[in-house]
Amino acid sequence: MYRLYYSPGAASLLPHLLLLETGAPHELVLVDIPGGANRSADYLRLNPNGVVPTLIVDGQPVAETAALLLLLCERHADAGLAPAPGSAGRAAFLQGVLFLANTLQPAFRLWFYPSDAGAVDEAVLKAALRQRIEGCFAQLAAQLADGRPYLLGERLSALDFYATMLMRWSRNMPRPATEWPALKALADRIRARPSWRRMYEAEGLTEWA
């Protein structure tokens, strides 16, 4: 039984979706971030960075969104959410995961929390971040330009769930991801899945359903 520490709509959304997709038994523990629960001594013992997600795996806390994606795909390989190590599609999968984790997700972090960058001009910072985020979405849309249904082609993977979570974060930006038709089509495929509906119900989400 896994235990997922989550906050509604945060980066914990991805491991939550993957747990539902794999059918892995799990329980959810709400971390009240507005109330400061992520900075409590108890939570910091699990995740010294004070962020979500944290997943308890075999009694041990594991953090970092991309790490949890790879771990769950590895532990539940029968769900088929990642190309097998050594297979033809593995390199593209790993490249895609790290692109989202190292380039797009950190840009969103600063977009939502510009004070993390220190004493900077927030307007200038956000203008640069918007350009980076939209550039990433343009790259993802170009990957889908050949008409493929998913980022790796005909095969659904955890990469599609990761991208859709990040697309959701753009919903209130000046140019949300859904303004790229290919990205909207991908998001619509993911949002139509039972796991998405179950996740929304469990986390009490309503917008961008």
Side-chain angles (χ1 to χ4, degrees):
M1 170 77 76
Y2 295 101
R3 182 182 301 124
L4 176 64
Y5 288 82
Y6 81 103
S7 180
S12 48
L13 185 153
L14 177 61
H16 189 182
L17 277 172
L18 298 181
L19 289 167
L20 291 169
E21 283 285 330
T22 61
H26 63 278
E27 61 179 345
L28 300 174
V29 179
L30 176 64
V31 179
D32 179 13
I33 291 179
N38 58 312
R39 295 298 178 186
S40 69
D42 286 345
Y43 189 72
L44 289 173
R45 277 193 287 271
L46 297 175
N47 189 324
N49 291 322
V51 297
V52 294
T54 301
L55 186 67
I56 305 301
V57 182
D58 298 334
Q60 298 298 316
V62 183
E64 299 297 333
T65 306
L68 294 179
L69 179 154
L70 295 172
L71 181 65
L72 289 171
C73 287
E74 178 181 296
R75 288 171 65 95
H76 302 279
D78 57 333
L81 291 175
S87 68
R90 184 69 175 183
F93 173 75
L94 294 175
Q95 177 176 292
V97 170
L98 293 178
F99 170 71
L100 297 179
N102 292 343
T103 304
L104 184 51
Q105 188 171 343
F108 270 114
R109 174 74 191 183
L110 285 177
W111 175 269
F112 291 123
Y113 303 102
S115 61
D116 285 0
V120 299
D121 184 318
E122 289 192 6
V124 172
L125 174 63
K126 294 194 77 168
L129 291 169
R130 178 184 172 184
Q131 185 175 23
R132 176 176 295 183
I133 289 167
E134 291 180 2
C136 290
F137 285 143
Q139 286 189 53
L140 294 175
Q143 193 170 331
L144 296 164
D146 60 3
R148 65 180 64 187
Y150 301 111
L151 288 168
L152 296 183
E154 295 298 320
R155 176 180 178 175
L156 172 72
S157 76
L159 186 60
D160 300 297
F161 293 98
Y162 198 173
T164 302
M165 178 187 77
L166 297 174
M167 285 192 272
R168 181 183 181 275
W169 290 359
S170 76
R171 66 192 182 278
N172 294 319
M173 291 187 69
R175 188 181 182 190
T178 47
E179 289 195 8
W180 283 266
L183 294 183
K184 183 181 185 302
L186 173 61
D188 287 346
R189 291 186 184 96
I190 299 301
R191 291 186 290 190
R193 296 184 69 81
S195 62
W196 187 270
R197 294 192 293 270
R198 289 176 61 194
M199 179 272 296
Y200 255 58
E201 181 178 355
E203 297 197 9
L205 300 172
T206 55
E207 72 288 353
W208 211 74

